[in-house]
Amino acid sequence: MLMNSVPIDTDDVVEKLRSYIAEGGYKPGDRLESERDLIVRLDVTRARLRKALDMLEHEGAIWRHVGKGTFIASPSVSSGPSNLKMLSQQVTPVQLMRARLSLEPAIAREAALHASEEAVRKLKQSRDRASEAPNWDEYEAQDDNFHRDLAEATDNVLLLSLFDHLNAVRRAVAWNMVVRSSDRPPRTHSSFAEHDAIVAAIEARDPKAAQDAMRAHLGSVSARLFGET
C-alpha cells in the first residue's frame, strides 16, 4: 500500500532556511553551502530550495553571484532586492578599490583607537589563518574575515555597516583579471607582511601608523591588480 507523502510548503522551507542561517552564525558576506549540501542538510527538494532562495533573495536577505555562490546580505544593503545587483553592475573594479582606499584606512585608524583586547586577539587569529591558508579560496575567505574583524574592532556600528555594504558590493563585482599561478599564496606574498604591519599598529594604539599601513596594503593590492595605486 502506497503512502501519500505530505508536501513541504515553500514557506516552511523558507523558515527552515532562515533558521539554518540564524543558528549557523553566518555574518554578512559569508557564503552559504552549495545547493547540493543544503538539500541534504534541510531535507528538501531542489525545486523547493530554489524557490526559498528566490524568496530570500527578493527580500534582500541573501544575494547570488553566478559562479561564486550564495552570500548573506548585509542589513545595510537589504532594503531592495535589486540594489546590490544594480551597484555591482555599475561599479568597476577600479572604482571599488578607490572606494576601499577612502574607507578602510579610516577604519584602521578607528580600530587603533578603540579596539578591545579581544578584538585584537580575533584580528591576530584571522591574520594567522590567512597566512596559513592551504589554497587561494581559503586565503580569500580568511582575508575577508581579517578586514571585517578590523571593522568590528572600531566598536562603531555605523562604520561596520558601511564596511559590510562596501564588502558586499566587492564580492559581487567581477574580478576577471585575477590569474593564479600557484595553488596557494606564496610565503613571500606581500599581504602577509602588510597584515602584520596593520595589526602591530593597532596593538600599539598608533592610529596614524594603522591608517598608513592599511593605505599601503590596499595600494599594494591595487598595484597588483591594475598597475596603479
Side-chain angles (χ1 to χ4, degrees):
M1 182 176 178
L2 295 175
M3 299 291 291
N4 292 324
S5 60
V6 179
I8 301 175
D9 188 83
T10 300
D11 288 342
D12 293 335
V13 181
V14 170
E15 290 308 313
K16 264 190 168 186
L17 190 53
R18 282 202 187 101
S19 297
Y20 179 77
I21 291 170
E23 293 168 6
Y26 289 92
K27 305 186 300 291
D30 283 351
R31 181 168 56 188
L32 281 175
E33 288 90 339
S34 67
E35 287 187 4
R36 180 180 299 177
D37 287 340
L38 289 173
I39 287 168
V40 173
R41 291 176 185 275
L42 301 178
D43 190 24
V44 296
T45 65
R46 182 178 297 274
R48 292 194 179 278
L49 174 65
R50 286 184 172 176
K51 285 182 180 180
L53 288 170
D54 285 343
M55 290 180 69
L56 288 187
E57 185 175 33
H58 182 75
E59 293 173 4
I62 62 171
W63 59 275
R64 289 181 279 186
H65 189 290
V66 177
K68 288 190 174 182
T70 301
F71 299 88
I72 306 301
S74 166
S76 64
V77 297
S78 62
S79 57
S82 63
N83 188 31
L84 179 59
K85 183 177 180 180
M86 179 182 68
L87 280 173
S88 67
Q89 291 173 342
Q90 293 177 345
V91 173
T92 68
V94 171
Q95 289 171 330
L96 178 59
M97 282 303 305
R98 289 174 181 165
R100 291 187 68 186
L101 279 162
S102 296
L103 178 63
E104 293 191 54
I107 283 176
R109 178 183 179 86
E110 287 297 303
L113 292 169
H114 303 290
S116 66
E117 289 185 6
E118 173 59 22
V120 173
R121 185 200 64 78
K122 188 176 179 184
L123 192 61
K124 287 180 176 179
Q125 186 177 59
S126 56
R127 175 203 60 186
D128 293 345
R129 286 175 176 170
S131 66
E132 296 163 4
N135 53 59
W136 281 104
D137 285 345
E138 181 64 18
Y139 166 76
E140 288 170 358
Q142 295 302 331
D143 178 70
D144 194 40
N145 287 338
F146 175 83
H147 284 267
R148 192 174 194 277
D149 289 344
L150 191 60
E152 285 186 336
T154 65
D155 194 29
N156 185 318
V157 67
L158 181 55
L159 284 176
L160 178 59
S161 179
L162 289 171
F163 172 83
D164 281 339
H165 194 154
L166 178 62
N167 201 39
V169 176
R170 180 189 68 79
R171 285 177 174 271
V173 170
W175 296 87
N176 296 326
M177 76 292 293
V178 178
V179 177
R180 304 302 190 191
S181 58
S182 60
D183 293 334
R184 69 175 303 279
R187 293 297 178 187
T188 56
H189 189 51
S190 62
S191 286
F192 297 153
E194 291 158 7
H195 286 178
D196 286 343
I198 293 167
V199 173
I202 289 170
E203 192 169 26
R205 307 298 177 183
D206 187 334
K208 185 179 185 304
Q211 179 173 294
D212 290 346
M214 177 57 78
R215 185 176 289 112
H217 173 48
L218 294 178
S220 175
V221 173
S222 182
R224 283 199 303 272
L225 293 174
F226 317 116
E228 64 173 51
T229 56

